[in-house]
Amino acid sequence: MEIKISPSLLSADFSCLRESLEDVQSAEMLHLDIMDGHFVPNITFGPCVIRKIRPYSDQIFDTHLMIEDPRKYVQDFVDAGSDYITIHAESHDDTEDMLRSLDVIRDAGAKTGLSINPATPWETIKGLIPELDMVLVMTVVPGFGGQGFMHEVVPKIREIRNYIDGEELLTEISVDGGVSTDTAPIVVEAGADILVAGSAIFRGDAKSNLNKLRESTII
Ligand code: DX5
Ligand code: ZN
């Protein structure tokens, strides 16, 4: 199956975003990391940046909300042009709370994603996987680009893959954090459908890095 790549704009040079977008336009998706300085110790950008870049890309906008109280902002991010909205299990009280947020995402007209940190067992969200368009498995502790891939998360990717295949679900698995030409084959072998990559693409020549990353997914 064809692997999708979702370059994370966080590692791009923000002084020339349009050029960065052009460099990665052959990628299927564009990953937009939203951080609020509360849920994670870093602040990035908000819906106004997404709205500004939307006319310059026809890619699927894959918005990753690393924020507290994400439900409150879903509509703003969808209105700005997000196609997928991914929320974190860890920014919710319980399964009911997550279900409410997923409903809000769906009602706003976007695809649903649910993410889990490296320390969160996948069983926490097992019952919700049939409801999801995407599970986003973090292979770094969220907050910053350029961190090292956490190999200990790989069995979790494989277990989610087995569950999805066993139940014949269409939910896609995306993997985020430390994905490079070295780790992409491992992640693909474990069962990922979508690879998020920031520094591995935008550090250096983005166009050629993207091609190399794609080649590395052919295992
Ligand atoms: C981490 C973000 C990631 C990050 C990935 O908190 O969610 O999307 O930008 O960057 P790399 O690929 O450099 O680990
Ligand atoms: Zn991300």
Side-chain angles (χ1 to χ4, degrees), residues 8 31 33 64 66 136 138 176 196:
S8 167
H31 188 83
D33 284 306
H64 178 192
M66 288 162 278
L136 181 66
M138 294 305 302
D176 184 6
V196 176

Side-chain angles (χ1 to χ4, degrees), residues 16-54:
C16 49
L17 273 187
R18 262 166 83 173
E19 283 166 40
S20 301
L21 287 177
E22 273 167 34
D23 286 343
V24 298
Q25 64 183 344
S26 69
E28 291 76 8
M29 304 173 98
L30 188 73
H31 188 83
L32 301 157
D33 284 306
I34 312 301
M35 306 187 188
D36 66 351
H38 293 280
F39 180 68
V40 288
N42 192 12
I43 300 176
T44 57
F45 52 88
C48 58
V49 171
I50 299 180
R51 183 173 290 111
K52 287 287 184 194
I53 63 173
R54 184 68 275 190

Side-chain angles (χ1 to χ4, degrees), residues 65-104:
L65 297 184
M66 288 162 278
I67 62 176
E68 277 177 12
D69 209 358
R71 213 152 50 227
K72 199 166 146 190
Y73 301 96
V74 163
Q75 191 68 53
D76 289 346
F77 282 101
V78 174
D79 289 346
S82 304
D83 299 294
Y84 280 68
I85 299 280
T86 296
I87 52 168
H88 265 264
E90 299 82 4
S91 61
H92 291 81
D93 296 336
D94 50 29
T95 304
E96 280 304 304
D97 196 26
M98 291 181 223
L99 273 171
R100 271 198 289 279
S101 293
L102 295 172
D103 279 343
V104 170

Side-chain angles (χ1 to χ4, degrees), residues 201-219:
I201 291 179
F202 288 108
R203 219 177 262 165
D205 179 345
K207 226 184 248 180
S208 119
N209 288 342
L210 175 59
N211 288 336
K212 285 184 196 142
L213 186 64
R214 198 181 289 287
E215 278 164 28
S216 76
T217 66
I218 304 162
I219 57 169

Side-chain angles (χ1 to χ4, degrees), residues 20 44 60 74 107-108 114 117 133 172 179:
S20 301
T44 57
I60 293 166
V74 163
D107 289 348
L114 183 58
N117 285 346
D133 294 299
E172 292 190 292
V179 173

